[in-house]
Every structure is written in C-alpha cells, then in structure tokens.
Amino acid sequence: MIRIGVNLAVGLPHAPGGNVIDELVEHGRSVAAAGVRTVWLPQGYDHDTLTAYAAIARDVPDVELGASVVVVQPRHPRVLAAQAQTVQAASHGRLTLGLGVSHPGLLDVYDIPFARPVDALRRHLDVLLPILAGERVPGSSGPGSSPDETSVNGATPPVPVLLGALGPAMLRLAGERTSGTITFLAGPRTIGEHVVPLLTAAAESAGRPRPRVVAGLPVAVTADPDRVRAEVAAAYRALAALPSYRTSLDREGFAGLGDIVIAGDEDEVAAELQRYADLGATDALVSRVGNTEERNRTLHLLGKLSSGAASAPRSP
C-alpha cells in the first residue's frame, strides 16, 4: 500500500484569537493518534514551515515531518541549510525537506523575478546539498566554509531532500541530485506516464536509489463526491490557471481541478490510492477536503491504511 501523509495546513480551525502553532500541534497530534506516520506542511506567505516544525517536533513524536515545499529564491542556501539542520536536530532525524521554485507572478511579493527556475534551483542545491551532507561546498573558502563550522550538533542523519517537480527538466534534476519529487494535483496519467519514468530514468543514470514519488491529492470519504469536487474546483480555481498545473490537467483530459479529487466511500478511496501506488507513487500527500464529518471519516480511513503501509525510501 502507498505510504500515507496528511497536509497539516488543510482543515485548521483558525479560531479567532487562536495561535497557529498551537493549532498545528493539535492537528499533528490528531493525525498521529489516528495512526498516520507522516505529516506535511507547505510554505506560504505567513508562518514559517521549518520554524513551526521545530516546535511541532517536540509535541508530536515519531512521525515524519515533511516540508512541501519551501521556495528557494527568497532564502540563501546556507541559511536554509542551518534551518533544516536545526529542525533535524530538534526532531531527532525526522525532517524531509521539500524544495520548489514557485510560479510566475508569485515571487513578486519578494521583489524577485521568476527567471530560469531550474538553474536557480540547481545553484541552490550546489551549496545546500554539500552542507546537509557534512561536506565542504565546492569552491568555498574563508569563515563559515568548513563543514565543522556549518554543521549543527545532533542534526543526523542527513536531511533527505525532495523537489517539487512536474516539468521534464525539473524531474531530471530531482532524479539526478535528490531523493525524489513532491507533486501537487498530478493525476494518474501524469504520475504513471510522465513523472515516474522521467524521474526513475534520471536516478538510474546518476546511480541513485529508487526515487520517492509523493503525489499530493485532495481526498474525501463522502457520500456526496459531486459536491466535494465542486467545492474543490471553486476553492482551487486560481491554481488551475498556473502553467504547470494546467499542463497536468490537460494531460489527464480534466476540465478542472475538481476532477482530480479522490472522493467516495472507504473502499473507493482506498482503491484509488492503491491505483497511484500501482503507477509508481510511493506516497500520498493527502489534503482532506469536505465538511468536518467527511474529513474525520477520511482521517480514520487513512489511519487504517497506514497501519499496513510499507515505509517509504529515505535516502539523503
């Protein structure tokens, strides 16, 4: 069975006057109590994912903490390496660091152009990956260049890195340099005929282990799948216009993002998740959608499925 993870950012209560970190901790506790062994947290414009994980790690033990994903352009790779190693130490080795490059127009708030994103990520990895591996950054010299000066005590094992990748060039980079990819809103055809073959071939050519393929999907155990799909289509409408997601939707033959939702009763949802596993996905990153009762039913099912899920590969 596919390994199950839950998106902590979806379904937060956001109570008036509440504290988002307290809410994330409570959400993480409920997911872990249900039996799910991986949580994921995206990086937005508000709370900082890695800082949040340093807090969550102490209150939610024994679950993998996946960042899905941190956009690299606003962060110097040495700063990001320090943040990641700090969380790795706080969590005693449970962090998986997902990295991405955002989309055209979404970096404007940082006054950063969206230019040559694959090259930007490659340059970032040139500095970040050696530091995470405890090695000297090629060509670096002076203070702060020695591995002894950039390591964080207790931050072992090395932090696994995944890339948010859908395009061919980004998938090749992920396979060649990292442990795999995190996709979002990529349907079965995209996973099975595009992501898995390109990523696997790149990893094999680079002599790397089988890559991890994390499929980010909206999921609901519900008696009214049409309503849930319509709600998701409305909520995610702006995403459907972004080029990378539009390409994936067109590849699937989907009219809108509602078509990608996995929705139905327990057996139907389990069968669809297994379909992704059969196509080569190692993980499902589940965003629970629907009303409160439906999200609770979904979490209950995910916990049951997780009890029989094999561990996903974790290579640095």
Side-chain angles (χ1 to χ4, degrees):
M1 183 62 193
I2 198 167
R3 180 169 178 165
I4 304 295
V6 168
N7 183 344
L8 289 184
V10 175
L12 282 180
H14 294 305
N19 182 295
V20 67
I21 302 304
D22 292 342
E23 291 173 355
L24 286 168
V25 167
E26 287 305 311
H27 197 178
R29 283 173 172 163
S30 67
V31 169
V36 176
R37 309 320 305 164
T38 299
V39 297
W40 296 94
L41 187 60
Q43 178 64 59
Y45 297 116
D46 47 6
H47 64 266
D48 179 72
T49 289
L50 294 177
T51 306
Y53 269 155
I56 293 168
R58 295 307 176 111
D59 290 312
V60 187
D62 304 324
V63 298
E64 178 187 17
L65 307 171
S68 57
V69 298
V70 177
V71 174
V72 300
Q73 291 95 323
R75 302 187 186 217
H76 192 283
R78 289 184 178 274
V79 174
L80 183 55
Q83 287 182 291
Q85 289 187 107
T86 300
V87 177
Q88 190 72 328
S91 66
H92 295 272
R94 292 183 282 130
L95 176 66
T96 291
L97 179 60
L99 303 177
V101 293
S102 193
H103 301 271
L106 299 188
L107 294 176
D108 293 351
V109 69
Y110 302 112
D111 197 24
I112 296 174
F114 185 83
R116 302 178 66 85
V118 178
D119 288 344
L121 186 49
R122 183 179 289 110
R123 292 192 300 271
H124 199 95
L125 295 176
D126 288 344
V127 176
L128 177 74
L129 293 181
I131 296 175
L132 294 182
E135 301 168 356
R136 180 182 292 274
V137 176
S140 66
S141 61
S145 298
S146 167
D148 292 339
E149 296 171 327
T150 56
S151 63
V152 174
N153 290 341
T156 56
V159 179
V161 174
L162 306 173
L163 301 186
L166 279 175
M170 197 70 82
L171 285 167
R172 284 192 291 269
L173 180 61
E176 292 166 356
R177 303 284 303 275
T178 76
S179 297
T181 187
I182 303 172
T183 70
F184 183 52
L185 303 175
R189 180 175 295 176
T190 297
I191 294 293
E193 299 178 10
H194 175 70
V195 171
V196 170
L198 284 176
L199 184 69
T200 302
E204 289 176 349
S205 295
R208 297 185 61 85
R210 179 195 175 200
R212 192 171 178 180
V213 179
V214 181
L217 298 161
V219 177
V221 176
T222 177
D224 192 356
D226 289 341
R227 188 202 83 246
V228 173
R229 291 191 177 99
E231 290 171 352
V232 170
Y236 290 11
R237 184 175 293 113
L239 296 179
L242 295 173
S244 58
Y245 298 142
R246 186 69 257 170
T247 298
S248 292
L249 292 173
D250 291 343
R251 183 183 292 112
E252 303 291 338
F254 290 162
L257 288 176
D259 294 337
I260 207 168
V261 178
I262 294 177
D265 64 23
E266 283 81 356
D267 289 341
E268 291 169 323
V269 169
E272 279 300 298
L273 291 173
Q274 182 59 48
R275 180 186 181 195
Y276 277 87
D278 294 340
L279 291 168
T282 60
D283 297 67
L285 193 177
V286 173
S287 294
R288 293 181 297 146
V289 293
N291 59 36
T292 300
E293 179 184 357
E294 290 162 336
R295 292 197 301 271
N296 289 339
R297 285 182 64 190
T298 302
L299 182 58
H300 180 70
L301 172 65
L302 298 178
K304 290 178 61 177
L305 295 176
S306 296
S307 65
S311 295
R314 285 178 58 84
S315 56

